[in-house]
């Protein structure tokens, strides 16, 4: 299957995955390189000596998981994009998966993307925790994704933006589409409050629960800012749906 489709088999993967105990200790590189090819930058770039010296340039890499600290240097040096770093110590529910990503535009830190498996199938929603793109990485940026822990050995790539079209509703309550939102941003409406005032997005029954994050994500991508740098919208009471009776009748919601 590997030769025909490029997708590794379970037998291949069994050789590349560390023990549960090692995974629980913290970040570690997973090298999914199973074919004998004349290539060795993973070995030459690892200054900790975690990857065994190649006797032959065609050797496949052998990693010592106990020496590897998951620094990620080999990930951006691998021309085959065959290495990821997995950190299962991140939280009880989520693991971090650091992947090489050579497409533009880069995702925005704090935004959400679609996590893909080795065959390119969507498997989860993933949060972009970090985007690292230094000169030393030679145009192979590293994207750190927070994914459901049970998918740490499944998510190997990501997809963003192009899963939506201009007709995709961003605010379902007020029927603002992605195309209309992008047009407003092009016209200079560059904060979530400005978008809200001109389009009423976020003023419908859900009070922005669906669209707020999506609008901020789009604004961040358009202005080159991180999500954490984006001004958040003004919240006015009631901040969640309540019964009219609660307003009229006091505590009991009569
Ligand atoms: S992640 Fe860092 S320590 Fe681990 S193999 Fe790669 S370069 Fe070496
Ligand atoms: S650099 Fe990447 S493609 Fe080359 S041998 Fe190492 S893991 Fe395989």
């Amino acid at each position: 299957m590997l030769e025909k489709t490029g997708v590794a088999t379970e037998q291949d993967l069994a050789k590349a995955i560390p023990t549960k105990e090692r995974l629980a200790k913290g970040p570690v590189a997973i090298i999914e390189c199973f074919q004998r090819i004349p290539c060795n930058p993973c070995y030459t770039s690892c200054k900790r000596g975690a990857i065994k010296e190649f006797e032959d340039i065609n050797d496949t890499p052998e990693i010592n998981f106990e020496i590897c600290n998951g620094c990620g240097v080999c990930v951006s040096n691998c021309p085959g994009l065959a290495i990821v770093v997995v950190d299962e110590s991140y939280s009880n529910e989520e693991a971090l998966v650091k992947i090489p990503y050579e497409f533009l535009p880069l995702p925005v830190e704090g935004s959400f993307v679609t996590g893909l498996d080795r065959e390119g199938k969507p498997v989860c929603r993933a949060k972009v925790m970090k985007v690292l793109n230094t000169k030393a990485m030679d145009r192979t940026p590293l994207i750190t994704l927070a994914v459901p822990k049970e998918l740490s050995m499944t998510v190997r790539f990501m997809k963003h933006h192009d899963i939506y079209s201009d007709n995709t509703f961003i605010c379902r309550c007020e029927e603002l589409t992605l195309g209309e939102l992008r047009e407003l941003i092009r016209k200079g409406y560059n904060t979530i409050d400005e978008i809200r005032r001109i389009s009423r997005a976020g003023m419908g029954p859900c009070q922005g629960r669906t669209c707020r994050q999506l609008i901020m994500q789009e604004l961040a991508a358009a202005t080159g800012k991180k999500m954490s740098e984006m001004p958040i919208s003004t919240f006015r009471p009631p901040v969640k749906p309540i019964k009219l009776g609660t307003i009229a009748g006091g505590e009991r919601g009569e």
Side-chain angles (χ1 to χ4, degrees):
M1 184 167 175
L2 177 65
E3 287 79 12
K4 284 188 181 161
T5 64
V7 180
T9 62
E10 281 188 16
Q11 292 90 320
D12 289 325
L13 292 172
K15 292 179 245 159
I17 295 174
T19 61
K20 277 196 167 81
E21 292 72 29
R22 172 61 191 88
L23 284 166
K25 281 188 200 165
V28 64
I30 313 283
I31 306 182
E32 299 185 4
C33 176
F34 307 111
Q35 285 186 302
R36 287 178 58 78
I37 49 170
C39 180
N40 72 353
C42 52
Y43 160 65
T44 55
S45 66
C46 178
K47 301 301 173 217
R48 286 180 69 84
I51 297 174
K52 195 175 150 197
E53 185 174 359
F54 285 29
E55 285 174 10
D56 181 307
I57 186 75
N58 292 299
D59 283 352
T60 53
E62 277 180 48
I63 179 169
N64 184 329
F65 296 120
E66 297 307 320
I67 298 176
C68 172
N69 66 354
C71 68
V73 171
C74 60
V75 180
S76 55
N77 275 279
C78 167
L81 308 183
I83 311 176
V84 298
V85 169
V86 170
D87 181 4
E88 289 202 354
S89 67
Y90 175 61
S91 80
N92 287 337
E93 293 80 30
E94 290 181 309
L96 298 180
V97 180
K98 191 180 285 183
I99 60 165
Y101 188 81
E102 294 184 335
F103 293 90
L104 290 174
L106 291 174
V108 176
E109 285 181 12
S111 66
F112 286 88
V113 296
T114 304
L116 306 178
D117 68 8
R118 293 176 183 83
E119 295 180 53
K121 290 190 194 136
V123 287
C124 66
R125 192 167 181 250
K127 186 170 184 180
V128 178
M129 305 303 291
K130 199 167 182 56
V131 177
L132 203 58
N133 185 19
T134 64
K135 211 171 175 187
M137 294 161 80
D138 193 22
R139 288 164 290 173
T140 304
L142 299 187
I143 313 294
T144 304
L145 302 174
V147 306
K149 208 166 196 170
E150 64 276 15
L151 295 178
S152 69
M153 290 301 151
T154 303
V155 175
R156 288 297 176 263
F157 205 58
M158 54 149 274
K159 184 174 182 180
H160 71 126
H161 281 302
D162 54 341
I163 56 172
Y164 305 115
S165 77
D166 273 1
N167 294 326
T168 305
F169 280 114
I170 295 296
C171 172
R172 284 178 292 177
C173 306
E174 298 295 333
E175 299 189 346
L176 177 75
T177 64
L178 180 59
E180 289 165 340
L181 172 62
R182 287 181 174 163
E183 185 54 29
L184 290 175
I185 295 171
R186 265 194 293 276
K187 285 180 177 168
Y189 296 93
N190 279 329
T191 67
I192 188 149
D193 274 342
E194 287 170 350
I195 299 283
R196 197 165 68 149
R197 285 186 199 115
I198 190 75
S199 70
R200 290 193 51 81
M203 291 179 169
C206 90
Q207 289 288 291
R209 273 175 193 74
T210 308
C211 65
R212 187 181 302 120
Q213 198 75 11
L214 295 171
I215 293 173
M216 286 177 65
Q217 191 172 311
E218 199 57 34
L219 281 167
T223 55
K225 289 183 181 164
K226 294 179 182 173
M227 289 285 275
S228 55
E229 296 167 350
M230 301 298 298
I232 56 170
S233 55
T234 310
F235 289 80
R236 291 195 180 85
V239 293
K240 62 177 185 178
I242 55 171
K243 292 176 182 169
L244 273 177
T246 306
I247 299 170
E251 298 290 327
R252 286 176 298 159
E254 294 161 347

